[in-house]
Amino acid sequence: WWIGAWPTNPALLPAAICTLWVGSIMHLVMQVATGLTALWLHDAEAVYRLYQKFLIVCGGLYVPISIYPDWAKEIISYTPFALFMSAPAQLLFETPMMGFWELLMMQILWIGGALLAAWGVYALALRKVEVNGG
């Protein structure tokens, strides 16, 4: 009762839950990709902190994306951070930045991109480990 408004369209609750679930998978894949950089850089903390900062700024954690200028909203709405943090909630509470199917397709594309990035980082790290005799 005290945390804010009720959902404007409660019928979209299953869609929001679905996109939150897919978004959590996307976040997990991106965390694996940042963790794999430890094999190459010997320490993934700097990469993970950079990932967290983008998550905070572009995900709408501190400041809602609707407050940003129009040009920034346009750029941020297609980053993975907005797609798994603020976009699913906007399906319920605000004017959504995109529809359910567009959001789901963008999330799936970013999962594929993150999987390719993780595979590429792993291949580079494996080559470096084998060259160095580890």
Side-chain angles (χ1 to χ4, degrees):
W1 292 94
W2 296 100
I3 60 172
W6 287 93
T8 55
N9 191 355
L12 288 174
L13 185 61
I17 290 172
C18 177
T19 55
L20 283 170
W21 183 72
V22 174
S24 67
I25 292 171
M26 183 168 53
H27 177 60
L28 180 67
V29 170
M30 294 184 81
Q31 283 185 319
V32 167
T34 58
L36 284 171
T37 61
L39 295 172
W40 188 24
L41 301 174
H42 303 292
D43 186 16
E45 185 176 352
V47 176
Y48 186 70
R49 285 184 188 253
L50 185 66
Y51 172 73
Q52 283 181 324
K53 299 317 173 221
F54 276 108
L55 194 66
I56 290 168
V57 173
C58 297
L61 189 62
Y62 286 158
V63 178
I65 294 175
S66 59
I67 294 177
Y68 289 155
D70 289 335
W71 62 269
K73 278 192 268 190
E74 185 68 30
I75 294 170
I76 289 173
S77 68
Y78 292 102
T79 64
F81 312 108
L83 294 176
F84 64 77
M85 288 197 57
S86 63
Q90 283 182 355
L91 284 175
L92 290 176
F93 294 105
E94 293 182 13
T95 304
M97 67 174 77
M98 61 185 70
F100 168 72
W101 292 110
E102 183 183 4
L103 173 59
L104 193 61
M105 295 304 350
M106 290 293 294
Q107 285 180 331
I108 291 170
L109 285 173
W110 273 106
I111 287 173
L115 283 171
L116 283 174
W119 178 74
V121 168
Y122 177 72
L124 283 172
L126 189 62
R127 195 170 349 142
K128 183 175 181 176
V129 168
E130 287 177 355
V131 168
N132 290 332

